[in-house]
Amino acid sequence: MTAVYPGSFDPVTLGHVDIAKRASALFDKVIVGVYATPSKSLLFDAEERISLFAKSLEGLPNVEVRGFEGLVVRFAREAGANVIVRGLRSGSDFEYEFDMAFMNRKLAPDIDLVTFMTSQDYMFLSSSLIKEVAKLGGDITGMVPPHVNEAVQAKFGLPVTENS
Ligand code: ADP
């Protein structure tokens, strides 16, 4: 069975990597879908977000990272997937996913949603908080893969810091 894991991933965090890895253990194939044009202000363009996520998953043979535009259900269909994977951190994630799942079910009744509960270590991680902290010179080591840390610091014109 093939699943898609869609998101903005601006940038990918260890929380996202954890969900992708756990999904890869459950499904035959997982296609991470990097949404090219989310209604958020972006730090990284689509190509950068795709390559940062792909590098985070090196060595996982059944996971692939692709960009997409438009509806998630259409992306899933085109990818031959009948499952959408999402991660849940909190009650607010749940409410958002609940609404989205019902909308997606209306659009595509044949595609189901599977949610993974975040791992405790990553429950407070979000891409937006990480960007905020890094921009202010805070240390994001242990929240994102090392190559993502470097890319974030480079965007803000900062040297890579640890424990600042
Ligand atoms: P979107 O803009 O689609 O919400 P995100 O990149 O913010 O994209 O998140 C993609 C998915 O990953 C969402 O299902 C989100 O709930 C989940 N996610 C984000 N951060 C974490 C985390 N720390 N642990 C588990 N799941 C997460």
Side-chain angles (χ1 to χ4, degrees), residues 19-138:
I19 300 293
K21 282 187 176 165
R22 286 159 56 200
S24 80
L26 200 61
F27 296 103
D28 299 313
K29 182 164 186 168
V30 175
I31 301 170
V32 173
V34 175
Y35 187 35
T37 51
S39 52
K40 304 178 174 181
S41 60
L42 294 167
L43 183 61
F44 293 97
D45 67 27
E47 286 309 313
E48 291 171 317
R49 286 178 284 133
I50 292 167
S51 75
L52 289 173
F53 209 146
K55 195 167 175 192
S56 312
L57 298 171
E58 269 171 6
L60 277 182
N62 65 336
V63 187
E64 193 188 309
V65 185
R66 293 185 198 165
F68 77 100
E69 288 190 65
L71 291 173
V72 168
V73 289
R74 193 173 300 145
F75 169 64
R77 279 228 177 91
E78 284 167 5
N82 46 6
V83 172
I84 295 170
V85 164
R86 297 280 286 174
L88 286 182
R89 283 162 298 186
S90 60
S92 58
D93 271 355
F94 176 78
E95 283 182 15
Y96 178 78
E97 296 302 336
F98 194 77
D99 289 350
M100 189 59 90
F102 277 105
M103 176 54 82
N104 282 338
R105 183 166 294 163
K106 279 258 175 247
L107 296 170
D110 52 316
I111 297 178
D112 235 315
L113 172 75
V114 172
T115 57
F116 285 77
M117 200 70 78
T118 182
S119 299
Q120 225 166 343
D121 287 349
Y122 307 131
M123 75 187 281
F124 299 108
L125 285 189
S126 71
S127 299
S128 51
L129 252 183
I130 279 167
K131 286 181 282 188
E132 190 72 29
V133 167
K135 192 177 173 183
L136 298 172

